[in-house]
């Protein structure tokens, strides 16, 4: 996996959207409606995505918002793309990754052994060459002894239950 280019130019941003962080939620509606409309509020981060109205320019709106005391900061909505795709031989055949926006997730991480992902599916072949080295193994279970070693109610759930 190649690194992502994080150097931005004005032409790397959407022409009609700005990301705004307000100091508090009291003025979000009033300030936003002056410049456009709220497209989305990201509650965890407190960010607001604002779509500009009436042909307003990103640059002039940014200048106005940055002078507004109710705005902590305002930035262009940069368009980010990955620098490359995985070196998996079959990547082009993995149409599902694009459907769940997986390439976009790789902007944040390409994985970590400290993260466990649960797959609710009809089954996973944990012996598959692409998965075997990364399949989660229940550390509290002893395989094949027909005992519920970890006391979770499931016998020999080494790779998960069922």
């Amino acid at each position: 996996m190649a690194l992502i280019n994080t150097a931005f130019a004005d032409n790397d941003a959407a022409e009609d959207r700005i990301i705004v962080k307000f100091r508090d939620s009291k003025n979000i509606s009033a300030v936003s409606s002056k410049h456009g409309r709220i497209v989305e509020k990201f509650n965890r981060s407190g960010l607001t995505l604002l779509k500009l109205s009436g042909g307003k320019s990103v640059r002039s709106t940014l200048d106005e918002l940055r002078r507004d005391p109710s705005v902590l900061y305002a930035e262009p909505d940069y368009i980010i793309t990955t620098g490359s795709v995985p070196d998996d031989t079959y990547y082009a055949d993995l149409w599902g990754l694009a459907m769940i926006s997986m390439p976009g997730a790789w902007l944040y991480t390409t994985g970590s052994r400290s993260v466990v992902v649960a797959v609710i599916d009809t089954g996973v072949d944990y012996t598959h060459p692409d998965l075997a080295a990364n399949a989660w193994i229940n550390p509290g279970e002893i395989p094949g002894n027909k005992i519920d070693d970890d006391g979770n109610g499931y016998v020999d759930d080494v790779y998960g239950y069922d």
Side-chain angles (χ1 to χ4, degrees):
M1 183 72 64
L3 295 175
I4 300 160
N5 177 6
T6 56
F8 301 111
D10 286 342
N11 60 352
D12 292 333
E15 296 177 2
D16 61 349
R17 293 187 312 269
I18 292 177
I19 297 172
V20 185
K21 172 78 172 188
F22 290 91
R23 291 189 188 282
D24 58 54
S25 59
K26 290 186 286 188
N27 298 318
I28 292 175
S29 294
V31 173
S32 297
S33 63
K34 177 181 174 186
H35 300 287
R37 67 177 174 82
I38 296 172
V39 175
E40 191 167 354
K41 289 182 182 178
F42 302 95
N43 292 331
R44 279 184 85 182
S45 64
L47 297 174
T48 301
L49 179 61
L50 182 64
K51 183 169 177 64
L52 305 181
S53 60
K56 288 183 165 240
S57 80
V58 168
R59 178 67 51 211
S60 65
T61 306
L62 282 172
D63 290 343
E64 285 182 52
L65 287 169
R66 288 172 177 164
R67 288 192 302 268
D68 190 315
S70 66
V71 173
L72 187 60
Y73 60 85
E75 296 294 331
D77 183 11
Y78 289 111
I79 299 167
I80 302 172
T81 57
T82 57
S84 70
V85 295
D87 58 0
D88 188 313
T89 306
Y90 301 105
Y91 178 74
D93 298 329
L94 303 174
W95 58 269
L97 295 179
M99 290 188 67
I100 63 169
S101 301
M102 192 66 197
W106 288 322
L107 294 172
Y108 300 100
T109 183
T110 56
S112 166
R113 291 216 175 265
S114 65
V115 175
V116 176
V117 177
V119 176
I120 301 172
D121 197 346
T122 57
V124 173
D125 179 5
Y126 55 84
T127 64
H128 188 282
D130 283 350
L131 303 176
N134 297 304
W136 177 80
I137 297 173
N138 183 346
E141 255 338 298
I142 299 170
N145 68 357
K146 298 186 180 4
I147 297 172
D148 178 15
D149 300 295
D150 61 1
N152 67 357
Y154 302 102
V155 174
D156 288 340
D157 56 322
V158 177
Y159 294 101
Y161 165 70
D162 197 2

